[in-house]
Amino acid sequence: MGIKKYTAYIGIEFKHSISHRSLLIAKIVAIPLSIFVMVAIWNAIYLNNDAEIIGYFTKEQMVNYSILSVIGSYLLANRSDMELGRIIRNGKLTNELIRPNQYYLVQFFKSLGFRTADFVVAAPISIALGVIFFGFKQYDYVFTLMSVLSFSLSFLLIFLFNMIFGLIAFKVIDYDNFGWLKNTLVSFFSGGIISLSVFPLFFQNTMMFLPFQHMLYTPIRIFVGGYVLEQCILFIFVQAIWVVSMFFIMKFGWKMAVKNFSGVGT
Amino acid sequence: MQKENIIEVRGLKKTFKKYERGAGLKSALKSVFKRKYKTVEAVKDISFSVKKGEILGYLGPNGAGKSTVIKMLTGVLYPEKGEIRCLNYAPWDEREKYVKNIGVVFGQKSSLWWELPPVDTYKLYKEMYEISDYKFNKNLKYMIKLLDIKDVSKTPVLKLSLGQRMRCEFISSVLHEPKILFLDEPTIGLDIFAKEKIRQFIKKINREKGTTVILTTHDISDVEELCDRIIIIDKGEHIFEGTIQELKNKYVCEKKIYVEFDEKPGRIKLSDCRVIRYDAWSADVFVDLKKRKVKEVVSELFRKYYISDITISEESVENIIKRIYLEAEKK
Ligand SMILES: Nc1ncnc2c1ncn2[C@@H]1O[C@H](COP(=O)(O)OP(=O)(O)O)[C@@H](O)[C@H]1O
Ligand SMILES: [Mg+2]
């Protein structure tokens, strides 16, 4: 059983993504701009409140959090659900099902391929700009390493969540509305807009039982030194449990959906 | 030698639910929970088999159920009822293993990456079907020549003409030398030149590699040129199965004799024939084959009239099939 037939998708999607060169350029402009706005807002908030710490974070941590949340939102963003909606609508899912493949693996490696250009170009540029202009800094090698591990799990988690949520596309004509709604909610509940640490405690405690904070908030908070070591290990473990459970939910949901798939379009 | 059945279908059935859905988020949300639908019996109760190396034409008017059958045979759709064995696999249950052995072309759906040259997609399929370098290069070169393709390595698919694109599409579905090739309206919208290339191609791989071909098409000349046998489906049921000759034997009841006269014949009288005259010097004589032989009518014509020229023609297959569709429509 070759993995090569799937990894080949990384290459072709990479080529595909750089054939949309303007998109990459747009990101290189958009990411630093968003970072600039976020940092400016937090600077103002800390200044106005005359506070040392807001929601467990010092100003420096908050600035770093904001930088990483902007970059992370872009890098971890995943359009697998929208893509599924699109190919169900235009009938191309049929083309996928006649291939000796598992669709979720194809889609996973395509996502990796599509993000490659972002990983190697947009992210380093953004981080470099963050270091130069906003004093972005690394806290501790151990935390950074754990954060990278946690980010990888987030990538998987977001992918799997999208593949599961995207199954709605089998039931509705225009999935995109659902997709946008979900993206907005996930972005909020995962700490992509504002760090979850600034919210009331009961809200934070509720979020602990949901997968969303593990999609972005957890790895960033680990990076900025917002957790002690034991907490880091615990949360990475929780992430892994979510990944495994979602994998099985996705497999089961997909099987049911394809069984009822009616192959729209002729 | 009796050839083995490569495809066997028994009692196949598929019903679709057609949902009534409005536009917009609100009605879409509503439709997730509460839905109205009608059922459409797309395929009712179908049994047939296909022998190894055969080219089967699968015909029927729009909405007859052809694509639905093809999708069930290719493992895309779950058969609601009945049994399918293709190459000894159950297509849906063993999809991943099964589809490695088949090739599929849907005339209305591209499987190539639009923004990239075709060769990039081919390389992807090379990995997917685990085609060796040697076989890949050999097959690609051979097919490019056979199909007369201009450029697969530089031009992105979206810049190719439809004729070129369809030919590239064919390559992508046969590079791995499938045992069965399913073609769902592969020549739709193509010019005569591209059609001809594709027909030659189908013939060649059928002959040289023994590929079994299932073809749906609206172009009857495709069928006449390629198919050993045809099946006609209408409203989800088979209404004819046999060779083209058997189709003619069963449905052709008239032949036409076009006659030109040296001398004005006045009134033409022939028993068991319909005579249509457009002018004084020529006539179309339709012979009712159930009652008379063409040979007899011809000699009667020569006996009774001064004839300068005569042409005998039979009803075109296209016309026969059109009649069959129309008759089925009335039922
Ligand atoms: N996904 C679907 N949902 C609902 N009805 C469908 C679907 N696909 C096909 N049908 C219906 O099933 C019938 C057969 O369709 P199809 O197999 O595409 O016909 P053909 O390929 O012969 O034109 C048609 O009445 C069509 O409207
Ligand atoms: Mg069709």
Side-chain angles (χ1 to χ4, degrees), chain B residues 55-253:
Chain B
I55 303 187
L56 175 74
Y58 203 61
L59 311 180
N62 283 331
K66 303 179 295 291
S67 298
T68 307
V69 171
I70 299 277
K71 283 180 198 156
M72 284 192 279
L73 291 180
T74 50
V76 173
L77 292 187
Y78 182 73
E80 175 187 328
K81 221 173 166 185
E83 209 185 313
I84 309 177
R85 296 299 289 180
C86 295
L87 298 164
N88 254 330
Y89 290 103
W92 194 86
D93 293 305
E94 301 166 274
R95 187 187 65 83
E96 206 177 335
K97 272 185 266 167
Y98 164 64
V99 295
K100 230 179 149 180
N101 299 289
I102 64 169
V104 189
V105 175
F106 290 108
Q108 282 136 323
K109 271 179 234 131
S110 174
S111 61
L112 302 166
W113 252 257
W114 280 90
E115 294 89 346
L116 304 174
V119 74
D120 284 323
T121 307
Y122 300 158
K123 282 181 186 155
L124 183 75
Y125 291 164
K126 175 180 177 297
E127 301 302 335
M128 198 187 294
Y129 293 96
E130 295 166 281
I131 309 168
S132 71
D133 289 341
Y134 173 75
K135 196 160 126 185
F136 178 80
N137 292 327
K138 192 188 72 175
N139 284 352
L140 188 57
K141 221 167 114 187
Y142 174 72
M143 288 166 189
I144 286 175
K145 198 168 144 236
L146 199 63
L147 282 166
D148 192 15
I149 291 173
K150 299 280 156 11
D151 184 18
V152 296
S153 60
K154 289 201 191 67
T155 321
V157 173
L158 61 94
K159 290 197 178 138
L160 296 173
S161 69
L162 179 65
Q164 285 283 323
R165 206 199 79 207
M166 271 320 289
R167 283 181 257 178
C168 291
E169 207 75 53
F170 261 81
I171 293 187
S172 80
S173 61
V174 295
L175 272 173
H176 57 292
E177 301 183 4
K179 299 194 181 82
I180 312 176
L181 185 57
F182 294 92
L183 308 170
D184 195 359
E185 301 188 21
T187 53
I188 197 156
L190 299 184
D191 62 38
I192 302 167
F193 183 69
K195 265 186 192 171
E196 192 47 40
K197 289 283 174 203
I198 284 178
R199 280 181 200 154
Q200 293 308 326
F201 181 75
I202 295 172
K203 260 191 203 166
K204 260 222 150 99
I205 61 161
N206 170 259
R207 213 173 305 137
E208 288 174 8
K209 309 218 191 275
T211 312
T212 308
V213 181
I214 318 286
L215 167 74
T216 85
T217 180
H218 286 292
D219 189 324
I220 304 303
S221 49
D222 282 348
V223 176
E224 287 186 278
E225 204 174 314
L226 294 170
C227 299
D228 307 314
R229 196 161 64 92
I230 60 171
I231 289 178
I232 301 179
I233 180 174
D234 187 59
K235 301 197 186 83
E237 288 172 309
H238 286 178
I239 54 174
F240 176 82
E241 186 175 344
T243 60
I244 300 250
Q245 194 52 52
E246 284 164 348
L247 180 81
K248 286 179 185 166
N249 294 347
K250 186 167 175 198
Y251 287 97
V252 176
C253 42

Side-chain angles (χ1 to χ4, degrees), chain A residues 174-189:
Chain A
D174 189 359
Y175 170 77
D176 286 5
N177 293 323
F178 290 87
W180 290 119
L181 188 63
K182 177 218 62 186
N183 285 348
T184 310
L185 292 177
V186 166
S187 178
F188 178 76
F189 287 114

Side-chain angles (χ1 to χ4, degrees), chain A residues 1 38 47 56 79 124 154 158 162 168 180 211 220 224 234 240 260:
Chain A
M1 265 314 298
M38 290 299 283
L47 203 69
Y56 306 111
R79 294 182 42 83
S154 297
I158 292 174
N162 280 354
I168 289 177
W180 290 119
I220 302 180
V224 299
L234 174 69
N260 291 309

